[in-house]
Amino acid sequence: MAFEGKVALVTGGSQGIGRAYTNALLKIGMKVCISDLLEDPAKEFIDNLPPEHKSKVIFQQCDVSSFTDLKNVFDKVISTFGRIDMVVNNAGMFGEQYFEKVIEVNVLGVIYGTKLGFEYMDKSKGGHGGHIINTASEAGLDPMHIAPAYCASKHAVVGFSKSYGHEFYFKKTGVTVNAICPGPVDTGFYRVFPSKCIDVEEAMRLQAKMRPVMPEDVARALMKILEDGKNGTLLRIDADGLRYV
């Protein structure tokens, strides 16, 4: 993979899966802009990076459900690094009690990030081509009766990613679009997730049977997508391993 010196934007990049993505991209020589709603975890993350990585990371606060916020992040990436080669639309939200915001963050955030990614990376518009990788979920492939709104949002990400991953767009722009569909992942969110579901007892019963993977396993899925170079694919990652859908 020839990613040395190239530039990535990772939304929700300061914790959990996003932090693992950022570490993996830094290890292959990329520069990274972490975009996140929360500033303190991002500063803590950057402060504890190895010196050789610390100089390759910037942070920009952002609510991905705001197009203006997200465009400001893209503009900061260009003004700081001069280019953008990868957009990882990873920021997400879970909570059936706040289903409107779940849709705004999980669906609109991905749509905004993807459209801006095409705008800035499209070869016909002066970009260099590149990659857009969206974090979907196994809940985007299967039903999730304890979290229907979240499930709907991730089904939307899957359909959206497959549609923009069509060769029609790649031939015009040089930009690939793929999605990663993790099962349960051992993050802070996973530990409190039953309280965010429609029925706490049912969620706890199901959680007791789950076999979560680590955020670094999801980052391996990102690396595989980059290594394989396929366009429009969905890569599933859970306790049974990695496989294309």
Side-chain angles (χ1 to χ4, degrees):
M1 293 187 293
F3 289 101
E4 184 75 38
K6 291 188 177 179
V7 179
L9 190 170
V10 181
T11 69
S14 66
Q15 302 180 85
I17 294 171
R19 182 176 291 206
Y21 284 158
T22 299
N23 276 322
L25 295 172
L26 289 169
K27 285 176 183 173
I28 60 172
M30 294 193 75
K31 300 170 184 175
V32 182
C33 174
I34 298 170
S35 157
D36 208 293
L37 190 60
L38 302 173
E39 188 170 359
D40 288 346
K43 286 186 173 179
E44 173 268 321
F45 175 37
I46 294 171
D47 286 346
N48 287 290
L49 284 170
E52 66 271 20
H53 289 166
K54 201 175 294 188
S55 61
K56 296 180 179 179
V57 178
I58 60 171
F59 168 73
Q60 175 75 15
Q61 195 167 24
C62 174
D63 175 355
V64 296
S65 67
S66 163
F67 183 84
T68 302
D69 263 22
L70 200 47
K71 186 176 187 307
N72 287 340
V73 179
F74 277 80
D75 289 339
K76 179 164 183 177
V77 173
I78 296 297
S79 66
T80 305
F81 295 127
R83 61 184 292 152
I84 184 164
D85 305 282
M86 185 184 303
V87 179
V88 184
N89 290 308
N90 170 68
M93 181 178 174
F94 188 99
E96 293 299 300
Q97 303 92 330
Y98 316 104
F99 63 87
E100 295 99 335
K101 192 64 180 177
V102 167
I103 298 300
E104 288 176 6
V105 171
N106 294 359
V107 182
L108 284 181
V110 169
I111 291 173
Y112 292 158
T114 300
K115 286 185 173 292
L116 284 164
F118 273 104
E119 186 69 27
Y120 284 73
M121 297 190 291
D122 185 341
K123 285 183 176 178
S124 70
K125 297 180 179 179
H128 304 278
H131 307 271
I132 296 172
I133 296 105
N134 299 323
T135 302
S137 168
E138 288 189 334
L141 305 171
D142 304 319
M144 191 175 185
H145 68 281
I146 53 174
Y150 177 78
C151 185
S153 74
K154 292 303 185 177
H155 270 73
V157 173
V158 165
F160 181 78
S161 302
K162 288 171 70 176
S163 298
Y164 260 120
H166 194 278
E167 286 302 294
F168 170 80
Y169 294 102
F170 178 70
K171 286 175 183 175
K172 290 172 66 174
T173 67
V175 177
T176 62
V177 180
N178 297 278
I180 298 170
C181 300
V185 183
D186 189 1
T187 61
F189 151 72
Y190 172 76
R191 290 185 277 279
V192 300
F193 120 93
S195 66
K196 308 287 187 182
C197 294
I198 281 195
D199 187 291
V200 174
E201 287 187 10
E202 176 71 351
M204 290 178 69
R205 183 184 69 81
L206 293 173
Q207 189 182 43
K209 300 177 182 179
M210 293 177 181
R211 296 180 295 153
V213 298
M214 299 304 293
E216 290 73 22
D217 296 314
V218 187
R220 283 196 300 109
L222 173 63
M223 292 298 105
K224 181 164 179 57
I225 281 177
L226 298 180
E227 286 167 7
D228 292 351
K230 298 175 183 177
N231 184 31
T233 59
L234 306 173
L235 188 57
R236 194 166 186 158
I237 169 66
D238 55 27
D240 294 325
L242 283 169
R243 66 265 191 212
Y244 284 105
V245 178

